[in-house]
């Protein structure tokens, strides 16, 4: 059996198992709704078929796309700002024992605070709209990026830094040419974790003081008693989160393969 054939068979098996797991989840979903419907007739709206029909209606009709766009833009800006803040902090934590000892305990304390607990203060200070939502996303995302960057600095081969010093490299040249390329895989790992955390924070953050977004649309469907649309939106949130995670995973694998090829 050729390697190509083995690879195609392995891929087919993997997709088959994934489809089996998905079908099993849908079956459990339908069974759960049937049992709940005996006590609560309105639960029929949460069943798979009405939910999928509502999803098709929302996507084909275009009603959900503006909310998806708004949420994705908020996540984009949240991740960008988290990278701009978290990577320098992580470099400082990894390179300076003085900085690490002075601010490490503070950062550990702050990262253990739920981002959602800042919602009232964020709205009070930043007002309503995009600003408080993006602030909460940044607060949620900055810590895994910072900690993974610091871990990447600690894992660097010190011979690289010694070589850069022997070549009279400046501090900035050492950081830009040696340290940053060496910690990119750790940064991408932190980014993947940050996306997962931020995507969870996004929906409740959009339930306060905004007029668009997936979290807002969840509340809107609840107020309209459109439970089939509510369930459809929940599925869309899961699918989009999966796509974002897959994209982060692809970036990590692509960079890892490129680095291995260069080595």
């Amino acid at each position: 059996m050729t390697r190509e054939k083995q690879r195609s068979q392995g891929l087919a098996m993997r997709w088959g198992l994934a489809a089996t797991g998905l079908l099993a989840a849908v079956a459990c979903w339908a069974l759960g709704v049937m049992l709940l419907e005996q006590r609560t007739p309105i639960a029929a709206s949460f069943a798979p078929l009405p939910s999928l029909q509502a999803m098709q209606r929302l996507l084909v009709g275009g009603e959900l796309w503006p909310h998806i766009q708004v949420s994705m833009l908020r996540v984009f800006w949240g991740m960008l700002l988290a990278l701009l803040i978290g990577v320098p902090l992580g470099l400082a934590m990894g390179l300076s024992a003085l900085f690490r000892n002075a601010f490490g305990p503070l950062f550990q304390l702050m990262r253990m605070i739920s981002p959602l607990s800042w919602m009232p203060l964020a709205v009070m200070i930043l007002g309503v709209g995009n600003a408080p939502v993006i602030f909460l996303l940044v607060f949620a995302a900055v810590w895994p990026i910072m900690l993974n960057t610091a871990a990447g600095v600690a894992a660097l081969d010190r011979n690289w830094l010694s070589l850069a010093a022997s070549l009279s490299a400046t501090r900035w040249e050492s950081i830009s040419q040696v340290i940053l390329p060496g910690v990119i895989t750790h940064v991408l790992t932190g980014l993947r974790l940050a996306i997962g955390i931020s995507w969870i924070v996004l929906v409740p953050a959009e339930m306060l003081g905004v007029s668009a977004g997936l979290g807002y649309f969840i509340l809107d469907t609840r107020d309209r008693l459109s439970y089939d649309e509510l369930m459809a939106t929940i599925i869309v949130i899961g699918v989009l989160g999966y796509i974002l995670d897959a994209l982060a995973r692809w970036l990590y694998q692509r960079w890892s393969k490129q680095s291995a090829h260069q080595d």
Side-chain angles (χ1 to χ4, degrees):
M1 183 181 296
T2 64
R3 181 177 300 179
E4 189 65 29
K5 189 174 182 180
Q6 289 178 336
R7 185 180 302 172
S8 62
Q9 287 183 347
L11 183 62
M13 180 177 293
R14 191 159 62 246
W15 279 103
L17 290 173
T20 301
L22 184 61
L23 289 175
V26 172
C28 291
W29 174 11
L31 178 61
V33 170
M34 288 175 59
L35 295 175
L36 185 60
E37 189 179 358
Q38 297 175 5
R39 294 181 305 170
T40 310
I42 200 173
S45 299
F46 292 92
L49 183 57
S51 300
L52 294 176
Q53 290 174 339
M55 184 191 304
Q56 181 183 19
R57 185 170 67 249
L58 290 173
L59 294 177
V60 174
E63 184 178 355
L64 195 57
W65 288 111
H67 298 282
I68 293 174
Q69 182 181 11
V70 168
S71 292
M72 296 297 283
L73 280 174
R74 286 170 180 154
V75 170
F76 170 78
W77 286 112
M79 292 305 99
L80 179 60
L81 292 173
L83 284 169
L84 293 176
I85 297 170
V87 172
L89 286 178
L91 292 176
M93 289 277 288
L95 294 173
S96 172
L98 179 63
F99 185 88
R100 182 169 58 252
N101 292 331
F103 295 101
L106 173 63
F107 293 152
Q108 291 292 346
L109 184 150
M110 293 185 67
R111 81 181 185 90
M112 298 307 294
I113 301 174
S114 169
L116 297 178
S117 65
W118 294 97
M119 288 177 66
L121 288 175
V123 172
M124 185 186 304
I125 296 172
L126 300 173
V128 297
N130 287 327
V133 177
I134 293 175
F135 167 79
L136 295 175
L137 296 180
V138 173
F139 188 89
V142 71
W143 310 118
I145 293 174
M146 181 194 74
L147 293 176
N148 276 275
T149 303
V153 174
L156 281 174
D157 188 345
R158 297 298 161 181
N159 291 327
W160 295 359
L161 299 178
S162 299
L163 178 61
S166 68
L167 295 174
S168 300
T170 64
R171 185 69 166 173
W172 169 247
E173 288 173 339
S174 296
I175 292 175
S176 61
Q177 302 298 323
V178 178
I179 297 174
L180 273 178
V183 302
I184 290 295
T185 54
H186 286 79
V187 172
L188 291 176
T189 300
L191 178 63
R192 183 185 177 189
L193 294 173
I195 289 174
I197 296 171
S198 298
W199 193 247
I200 294 172
V201 170
L202 173 70
V203 173
E206 288 183 331
M207 291 181 175
L208 182 66
V210 297
S211 58
L214 292 170
Y216 166 82
F217 194 74
I218 287 282
L219 288 184
D220 182 60
T221 56
R222 183 204 64 182
D223 295 339
R224 292 187 286 109
L225 303 181
S226 299
Y227 296 122
D228 53 346
E229 294 185 1
L230 188 153
M231 199 65 201
T233 308
I234 291 175
I235 298 171
V236 169
I237 290 171
V239 171
L240 290 174
Y242 182 87
I243 292 173
L244 288 174
D245 182 75
L247 178 60
R249 215 166 47 235
W250 176 79
L251 287 173
Y252 176 85
Q253 292 171 352
R254 182 176 178 82
W255 179 267
S256 298
K257 288 180 181 179
Q258 183 177 348
S259 299
H261 180 71
Q262 290 176 349
D263 292 341

